[in-house]
Amino acid sequence: MLCPMLALRTDEPPRRAPAIWRTMLNIDRGLVNLVGRLTVSGRVPAQLRGKPLLMAANHIGVFDAFVLMAACKRIGINPRFMLAGGILDAPVIGPALRVSGHLRVDRKHAGTAVGQFAEAVEAMKTTREPIVVYPEGRISHDPGLWPERGKTGAARLALAAGVPVIPISQWGAHEAVYWGTETVNGPADLVPLARSGLSAPLRRPKFRVHFGDPVDLSDIDTQRPGAGVRAHAKIMQAITDGLVPLRRDELDRPRFHDPTRPTDTVSPWKPPSVL
């Protein structure tokens, strides 16, 4: 039994994604096909489409959001993302993303965190498109590029809104563009990204994305302390389980070496066979 679904009206036809977002998704699909080769496995069950749905993915590189968008488009869904406020406030791209219906997250403003969480819960209850989140919050610093410990926000959101969670596992997008730097302070910081990105169409990395089965959260009592932690662990384990087959021939370390990515953390989700 899955996390209980909300009572939704079924007589309303699915609302089409805004035209500007559909256009951006089509452009993205062409970009991903130009840069590398995309393989998609798994599915989103028909009964979950057109209803509130949270999709949780591992974070492996600056290009992986583009790959996720293309993978979602391939299976016939138009995803939305939970994005940092800075991205939504950026010139040109910010207004387009706001119109597209992405959810806002402002991690730096702790005072508004409670209100934002409540708003996100209400948004999750009414959206008819899947919302994609990165539970890790950043690109993994684990030397083997296994998922980091992550944060419980996505799990708590799913429990509070009563929506199912689809785990997404991905591999290969880290080969398209280097990690670069934590913050960009000038043109020099963009050089490693530009060099790696421009050479990617020549290297043609293989992008692999797997949509897993819905995570069963039915045994988690939301009234007990630690419910979010337990749900988060289930979600992260499902993502890791789906990741193993995608990188079976490079379980220890990625073959592709990114000299700019920090490797100062250890993944708690790394399979025992790799330890």
Side-chain angles (χ1 to χ4, degrees):
M1 181 177 178
L2 300 178
C3 182
M5 287 292 297
L6 298 164
L8 298 173
R9 291 182 59 182
T10 58
D11 55 342
E12 295 182 1
R15 181 172 61 88
R16 294 190 73 190
I20 189 170
W21 182 234
R22 296 199 307 272
T23 300
M24 292 172 71
L25 287 172
N26 287 329
I27 294 173
D28 171 78
R29 180 170 54 181
L31 173 64
V32 171
N33 289 336
L34 172 66
V35 172
R37 299 160 291 165
L38 175 62
T39 301
V40 180
S41 58
R43 65 189 181 94
V44 173
Q47 64 269 27
L48 298 184
R49 296 182 179 231
K51 301 177 181 179
L53 175 65
L54 196 67
M55 305 174 75
N58 59 316
H59 204 356
I60 59 175
V62 298
F63 195 70
D64 67 17
F66 297 98
V67 173
L68 287 180
M69 289 160 56
C72 287
K73 188 69 176 178
R74 179 170 294 186
I75 65 171
I77 59 178
N78 297 311
R80 303 295 195 278
F81 286 80
M82 294 196 75
L83 298 175
I87 298 177
L88 294 175
D89 292 336
V92 183
I93 189 66
L97 292 174
R98 290 198 299 271
V99 170
S100 299
H102 300 280
L103 297 187
R104 184 186 189 95
V105 179
D106 284 311
R107 298 188 183 94
K108 293 184 178 180
H109 301 289
T112 62
V114 175
Q116 282 193 343
F117 183 79
E119 292 176 4
V121 170
E122 290 306 310
M124 278 300 309
K125 289 180 179 180
T126 57
T127 183
R128 298 177 72 85
E129 297 88 11
I131 300 295
V132 178
V133 297
Y134 289 112
E136 295 167 84
R138 68 176 186 180
I139 296 169
S140 174
H141 287 199
D142 176 73
L145 205 52
W146 290 98
E148 289 197 322
R149 181 172 300 279
K151 304 179 186 300
T152 62
R156 292 187 295 109
L157 178 61
L159 292 176
V163 300
V165 179
I166 292 287
I168 304 178
S169 308
Q170 62 171 324
W171 189 246
H174 60 290
E175 299 184 20
V177 181
Y178 280 170
W179 180 89
T181 61
E182 193 73 46
T183 58
V184 176
N185 298 311
D189 292 335
L190 297 175
V191 172
L193 284 76
R195 285 178 175 171
S196 56
L198 291 174
S199 68
L202 301 176
R203 294 183 279 108
R204 300 288 293 166
K206 185 173 183 180
F207 308 133
R208 305 176 181 92
V209 178
H210 177 71
F211 295 88
D213 294 331
V215 181
D216 185 0
L217 302 178
S218 62
D219 61 339
I220 295 180
D221 183 354
T222 58
Q223 302 304 312
R224 291 184 57 193
V229 174
R230 291 189 291 276
H232 173 71
K234 281 198 165 191
I235 293 170
M236 296 306 298
Q237 189 60 60
I239 292 173
T240 304
D241 290 345
L243 180 59
V244 171
L246 302 185
R247 54 175 299 181
R248 192 172 297 280
D249 56 346
E250 46 185 323
L251 292 177
D252 183 31
R253 299 283 180 102
R255 281 196 304 265
F256 180 81
H257 176 61
D258 178 353
T260 69
R261 183 176 66 88
T263 55
D264 54 5
T265 63
V266 177
S267 169
W269 315 111
K270 187 181 301 183
S273 59
V274 183
L275 298 176

